[in-house]
Each structure stands twice: as structure tokens, then as C-alpha cells.
Amino acid sequence: MAKPSRQNLTHASVTSLRRFGGQSSLPPSGASPALRLAAAALLLAAAVALPCAVLYRATVETMEPIHVPRVHRPLLPAPPLPPVQVPEDDSDFDPFPTGDLDSEDLKLELVLQEASMDNKTIILTTLNAAWASPGSVIDLFIDSFRRGVGTSSLLRHLVIVAFDFKAYEHCVKIHPYCYALPTKDVDFSEEKRFQTTGYLEMMWKRLDFLRLVLEKGYSFVFSDADIVWFRNPFPHFYTDGDFQIACDHYVGNATDLRNIANGGFNYVKSNDQSIEFYKFWYSSRFRYPGYHDQDVFNFIKHDRYTTDIGLTIKFLSTTYFGGICEPSRDLNKVCTMHANCCIGLQSKIHDLRIMMEDWSNYMSMPPSLKQFRALSWRVPQNCSLSLLSL
């Protein structure tokens, strides 16, 4: 068999490649000059384009990048925002708006919810500017919770009700739960001396507010701010009492109507009986003009209507809930002490501070001495026990 020549091998290889690429035959030999011209043109174009590309790349790399943010269109057009009103001075804030009862009711409901215990019980006190100055009655009141036994945790359930703007302003500085009680055309900011017209108006305003709290479904412990708390009082409340009240004088029996009640401290359960009683109590101010709520209570506790509505009244022993009128005799049992039977703000502050000092001395004693040593209060000093009849 004849050996194929080199020319035949070359021709076969080229033909095979052309066919693999889908060509059926070689290009005509006359096309070679045209290919050479095309290649030359491509080389010339590349020679011109390459320097231009290099120059363009260098220019682009020296330029700052431009970022075009993506615009997201909302699915629905957003409503226009209301204008923002910024007060010129925070001191212009008025916690006593007029004419908006729904707003006031909502504010009260919110603060009661925040401060409430799990069983919808709260602790309430009231405050005006005279008792709100630094180092005055309200500061001693709150300090007693911090120093008492089992009382510091009760502060989270305390709502301070302010009768005026200065009292409210001080309250928000010292306590988280404050409520501004609006009063129309009445100035409760000054010290209200016992039995004066301003004092009586403030007491009846307070009583009507407590009725509102009951109607909202909240039980409460109400405490005057001139009462110092030394122990948790809840273990000493009666389970079967709708209305439980402290005494200026306790005769020894919790149900005896001869007990002389003091309206400055009471525990009231929210129910139909207590709500109806507070309405009756408030309306009775017209039957006994010139008397404050405490005196009127001591009148109407004998009224048949109080019995007919089914209210269960319990009087709290001065063993646990004492005061200057009738002090608790046992510092191992005392829960609260009241600066009652005392006229004048400075007299109250003085004797309240003495009570706090006596308590601090008691707490610093070893347990053995607390049990066997006879302990007594150093009050009254500036207050007077002779004012019991008031």
C-alpha cells in the first residue's frame, strides 16, 4: 500500500476540521488576499482602540462613584403627617386641661392600671403645694416606706393625687405614679388649716374622687400623707370588711360603733355596697353643713341606711394603726402612725420627724432588746393630745 504524501495529510486534516465546523469544502484559493486585508484592518483598529481604552479606564478610576438611590414607591399613598407642636418651655405644661373629661378619665384609668396590684388594689394619698415642698410631709411619707418592714415594695402601688400644679410638679420628681386632680375655680395649693372653708372643700373633693376610684373597680388603701408607714398593713385587715377605718380612739371591738373613726386611713373594697355608701356619705354633707367628712362619717355610721345597703364596717385597732391621738403602744406591732390631733404644718413635720427617729432607733436595736425592753414614742411634742375632740 502506498504511503500517503505529506501534502495529502495536510489536506485531509484541514478538510476534517472544516467538516467538524460544518463546512463541506475548503474555501476557494482566491479568498486568501481578502483575508489578509481583513486581518490588516482588524490589527489597525486594535492599535487605535487599545490606547483609547487604557486612557478611558484611567479616567474612570479617578472619578468619585455616583450612587443613585433606589426609589421605593409605597403600595398606598401615605397620609400627611400632622404638624408637630413643640412647646417653648416645659414649664408651660398644664396637667390640668379644662373641658376634656374623657381625657381626664383615661389618664386616671391608665395610672390606676399601672399602679394596681394583681387584685386591683392600690394605695392612694393626696397632696397640695403646702405639703409638697422639699423636706416636707410628702418626703417623710415616702421615706417611711423605704425604712419600714415589708413596705418598700408597696411604693410601686402608690398613686399620689395632686390638688394643684406645684404639687404635681414636685410629685413627678419623686414618684412615678402621679395624677393631677382638676379643680375648677378653687385654689388648693396653700396650707388648709383644720376646719376652714378651704379645708372642708378639699376633704369633700377627696371623698368624691375616692368614690370614682371605687366605681372603676379598684379597691384602695387611702392614707393621709401625714401618716408614716412602718410595717405592711395588709395582714391586719379583715377579710370580711367592706369598709375598714382607723380610729382616733379605739374601744377594743372592731364592730363597735362607739369607736371614733379617723378618715385619714381606710381600706375599702370595691363593691356595690361601698360605692353606694360613698355616694350616701358625699351627699350627707348637705345634711351636716360646716362639718368635714370624718365628722359626717361618725354621724352616718349610725344611720339605718348604712345598715340597709349591707355595708360591713370594721374599725382598725390603734395597736397597729396608731396616731398622736392614741399612739400604738407596741413598736413590735405598729404598722402606721398618724400625726392626727395636731394643728399646723410645722408642728406635724416636727413630730413626724421624731417618730422617724424613734423608729430608726428601734430598728437599730438587737432583737433581744426589741422584745424585752419597754419602748415608747417621744411624741407628742409640738402636737397636742387635747385636740381629740376636733
Side-chain angles (χ1 to χ4, degrees), residues 18 23-36:
R18 294 293 186 186
Q23 302 292 331
S24 59
S25 62
L26 288 172
S29 59
S32 296
L35 291 175
R36 285 194 293 272

Side-chain angles (χ1 to χ4, degrees), residues 80 89 102 129 151 165 182 230 232 269 289 292 316 323 339 364:
D89 187 352
D102 290 339
T151 52
F165 176 72
F230 295 131
N232 185 343
K269 297 177 182 178
H292 61 77
L316 300 171
S364 66

Side-chain angles (χ1 to χ4, degrees), residues 355-390:
M355 292 181 200
M356 294 289 288
E357 290 176 6
D358 289 347
W359 177 255
S360 295
N361 292 335
Y362 164 78
M363 291 298 292
S364 66
M365 295 171 58
S368 57
L369 291 180
K370 289 179 182 178
Q371 295 295 326
F372 298 107
R373 181 177 174 181
L375 302 171
S376 61
W377 303 101
R378 291 180 295 148
V379 292
Q381 291 188 7
N382 288 11
C383 297
S384 174
L385 290 174
S386 64
L387 298 175
L388 177 60
S389 61
L390 297 175

